[in-house]
Amino acid sequence: MIDKLTYDQVLAISKELSNNAQIIDKIAQERNIQDLQDFSSTVEGYSKFLETIVNMNKDADNALQDLIKMKK
């Protein structure tokens, strides 16, 4: 969990952000709006950041479980 969200919930949010960023980017490109393209790029980057955080937390959980097993 990350705060009160499960990993699956965070990944779902990440995917939704990524999908919406692609839609925004397409509109921005069609209308040649650079600021909007920059915004969609930032949203896409945040989506990838969330995925990375989930993976790091999962790895940390696994490492902790291994340490707990070794302690017993």
Side-chain angles (χ1 to χ4, degrees), residues 8-22 43-44 46-48 50-51:
D8 289 337
Q9 288 172 318
V10 174
L11 289 175
I13 291 168
S14 172
K15 183 175 173 82
E16 189 171 336
L17 284 172
S18 179
N19 291 341
N20 288 325
Q22 290 173 9
V43 172
E44 181 66 34
Y46 187 68
S47 170
K48 291 185 187 317
L50 289 175
E51 288 179 36

Side-chain angles (χ1 to χ4, degrees), residues 3 7 13-15 19 23 27 29 37-38 45 55 61 67 72:
D3 196 24
Y7 293 143
I13 291 168
S14 172
K15 183 175 173 82
N19 291 341
I23 293 167
I27 293 168
Q29 286 181 12
Q37 286 176 300
D38 293 344
N55 289 331
D61 288 346
L67 288 173
K72 290 183 180 180

Side-chain angles (χ1 to χ4, degrees), residues 3-69:
D3 196 24
K4 295 179 181 178
L5 299 173
T6 67
Y7 293 143
D8 289 337
Q9 288 172 318
V10 174
L11 289 175
I13 291 168
S14 172
K15 183 175 173 82
E16 189 171 336
L17 284 172
S18 179
N19 291 341
N20 288 325
Q22 290 173 9
I23 293 167
I24 292 169
D25 191 54
K26 183 178 177 187
I27 293 168
Q29 286 181 12
E30 289 172 357
R31 297 184 182 170
N32 197 25
I33 305 172
Q34 185 59 46
D35 287 344
L36 194 54
Q37 286 176 300
D38 293 344
F39 174 75
S40 68
S41 177
T42 300
V43 172
E44 181 66 34
Y46 187 68
S47 170
K48 291 185 187 317
F49 169 77
L50 289 175
E51 288 179 36
T52 301
I53 291 297
V54 167
N55 289 331
M56 288 175 52
N57 277 279
K58 284 182 176 181
D59 289 344
D61 288 346
N62 289 337
L64 288 172
Q65 289 301 319
D66 290 345
L67 288 173
I68 290 169
K69 288 177 186 176

